Amino acid sequence: MKGAAAASGRDLRALARIVTDDRGEPPAEGLAPSLLSDLIPLIGCDSLVFSGTDSSQSADWFGQTVPSEADDPDFDVSSFWAHYWSSPCSYPEHTGDLRSLVRISDFYSARQWHSTGMYQDCCRPYGIEHELMLCLPASLGWTAGPGRTLRLVFLRGPGADFSGRHSDLLTLLRPHLHQAYLDAERRRHPTPKLTARQQELLNLVAAGHTNTQIARRLGISEGTVRTHLENIYRLLQVSSRTAAVNRAFADRTA
């Protein structure tokens, strides 16, 4: 988006309420349903889906639909993934761009959209004509990985498309939505307590030191460093140095 985001005073009051309301304990996955529900009148959509998408596995690791009655347990997931890589859904993977808000109309005319397999198999049966997608990075150590993104997809039936105003509002909300998700994840998965030696070692890892340098610095063998790291990985439920640092020092890396 170019230029400053445009929002009315009414919009700003609605945004302020969305980002400041106490949502209580987070659900088992995703964001508070009340927060997602508040987005529907603000963006003027019929329904929205918030999901953690892992395109490398052709699967979502969680999904929320609001309103809940719009969720169809018989949705044709196999057709969705069959059309995924030729549809705007794969824009983040093809470009690496997680910041741009993506509309179907950015890629297709209405006639072109109606001729696609994604529309015919996955959208037409539900009367979906317009989509607006906002992506967030899956940035915490236990959610991050190649092809993994958080997505809010706003859905509309026949009628007007999503406007620049809606994109502006979501641009303003994006960092707050991301922070809300990070806060919910940290409450769901509190960081296990490390020993003083594990903290010291992981601080050296975070500073970019190699195992050899860490061993010399701490006066221990490289084998002992590796054993400490294996124990840290197991405790934090991660499998790499980067993920361990992100998990242990989440407040620093958000």
Side-chain angles (χ1 to χ4, degrees):
M1 184 192 70
K2 297 181 180 180
S8 67
R10 181 178 179 182
D11 288 334
L12 293 175
R13 287 190 293 273
L15 292 176
R17 184 176 60 79
I18 287 173
V19 302
T20 59
D21 275 0
D22 181 8
R23 307 290 175 171
E25 284 299 308
E29 296 176 308
L31 289 168
S34 64
L35 188 159
L36 297 177
S37 295
D38 284 348
L39 295 176
I40 288 181
L42 181 70
I43 305 303
C45 60
D46 298 322
S47 61
L48 69 86
V49 176
F50 180 46
S51 64
T53 296
D54 187 343
S55 60
S56 67
Q57 299 296 320
S58 298
D60 290 342
W61 76 87
F62 79 85
Q64 295 175 277
T65 301
V66 178
S68 57
E69 54 267 26
D71 185 24
D72 180 3
D74 297 321
F75 177 72
D76 190 351
V77 176
S78 60
S79 288
F80 173 81
W81 286 106
H83 300 305
Y84 182 87
W85 292 103
S86 61
S87 79
C89 296
S90 59
Y91 174 85
E93 289 89 348
H94 286 308
T95 65
D97 177 9
L98 296 182
R99 296 193 62 80
S100 295
L101 279 79
V102 176
R103 296 180 301 176
I104 294 296
S105 56
D106 295 331
F107 300 86
Y108 298 122
S109 67
R111 183 174 181 179
Q112 290 169 332
W113 169 229
H114 290 167
S115 70
T116 66
M118 182 67 85
Y119 175 80
Q120 291 293 330
D121 293 343
C122 302
C123 294
R124 184 171 179 269
Y126 300 97
I128 297 170
E129 294 293 330
H130 308 288
E131 294 184 9
L132 175 62
M133 180 176 71
L134 177 153
C135 286
L136 303 172
S139 56
L140 290 177
W142 60 97
T143 62
R148 291 168 72 89
T149 52
L150 301 166
R151 299 171 183 231
L152 274 160
V153 182
F154 300 84
L155 306 170
R156 274 185 178 180
D161 195 2
F162 295 100
S163 68
R165 169 181 167 270
H166 301 122
S167 295
D168 287 351
L169 290 173
L170 289 173
T171 297
L172 292 171
L173 268 177
R174 182 204 308 276
H176 302 286
L177 293 171
H178 192 207
Q179 189 61 52
Y181 178 77
L182 295 178
D183 291 343
E185 278 293 275
R186 288 172 186 141
R187 292 173 73 177
R188 285 187 285 258
H189 307 285
T191 304
K193 187 172 179 59
L194 301 177
T195 66
R197 175 47 65 99
Q198 288 171 334
Q199 286 274 8
E200 183 181 22
L201 189 147
L202 206 51
N203 273 310
L204 293 172
V205 170
H209 294 289
T210 65
N211 284 4
T212 301
Q213 291 169 330
I214 293 170
R216 187 179 305 120
R217 187 83 170 259
L218 298 181
I220 57 179
S221 70
E222 287 188 55
T224 301
V225 172
R226 286 193 294 271
T227 298
H228 277 310
L229 285 174
E230 289 168 3
N231 290 336
I232 290 169
Y233 293 168
R234 183 167 56 252
L235 185 63
L236 299 181
Q237 298 183 329
V238 298
S239 58
S240 72
R241 297 163 75 93
T242 300
V245 169
N246 287 344
R247 178 77 167 97
F249 306 134
D251 290 338
R252 303 184 197 177
T253 57

